[in-house]
Amino acid sequence: QVQLVESGGGLVQAGGSLRLSCAASTRTFNTYYMGWFRQAPGKERVFVARISGNGGNTAYADSVKGRFTISRDNAKNSVYLQIDSLKPDDTALYYCAATLPGSTWYSKSAYWGQGTQVTVSS
């Protein structure tokens, strides 16, 4: 069982930045792909970014490319999401997720945090 705890959300003005963090409770953190997802009010949860176990491979949703940066520190069992040039449309509950290579984000071997709220004012 892997527990994921997100932090770093808050209320910011448009154009500002935030750094979200996600701490994982597992000794095999470096074997997991880590991802960030977000769910805006009244909308479905959507993929934002993901990073491979060694950090060498990343992917982003088109809507966030160039503004969001995912990174990880395996020594700290943590994954981060740097969000720059925030827009009101970025307002959402941001979730951290972990899954094993070859598995989906919604498989039995995947884990999810409780989310951290990001609110962007115009």
Side-chain angles (χ1 to χ4, degrees), residues 1 19 28 30 32 34 43 46 49 60-61 64 70-71 73 84 88-89 92 99 111-112 118-119 122:
Q1 190 77 4
R19 189 191 193 209
T28 59
N30 62 352
Y32 285 89
M34 299 299 297
K43 297 186 177 180
V46 297
Y60 297 89
V64 306
I70 189 170
S71 62
D73 185 338
D84 298 319
D89 285 348
T99 193
Y111 302 92
W112 290 80
V118 173
T119 303
S122 57

Side-chain angles (χ1 to χ4, degrees), residues 5-82:
V5 179
E6 302 97 333
S7 62
L11 173 63
V12 294
Q13 289 187 334
S17 297
L18 278 177
R19 189 191 193 209
L20 307 184
S21 299
C22 172
S25 64
T26 173
R27 295 180 180 179
T28 59
F29 179 70
N30 62 352
T31 66
Y32 285 89
Y33 269 70
M34 299 299 297
W36 287 96
F37 292 72
R38 67 184 181 183
Q39 186 168 17
K43 297 186 177 180
E44 294 184 349
R45 188 179 304 183
V46 297
F47 167 78
V48 172
R50 67 114 173 103
I51 188 167
S52 60
N54 63 5
N57 187 284
T58 59
Y60 297 89
D62 287 342
S63 59
V64 306
K65 283 181 181 177
R67 297 190 301 119
F68 288 26
T69 304
I70 189 170
S71 62
R72 66 189 296 160
D73 185 338
N74 288 343
K76 295 182 178 180
N77 279 14
S78 294
V79 63
Y80 309 98
L81 187 68
Q82 177 69 37

Side-chain angles (χ1 to χ4, degrees), residues 2 4 32 97-100 103-112:
V2 178
L4 302 174
Y32 285 89
T99 193
L100 293 171
S103 298
T104 70
W105 297 105
Y106 298 98
S107 69
K108 291 182 179 180
S109 61
Y111 302 92
W112 290 80

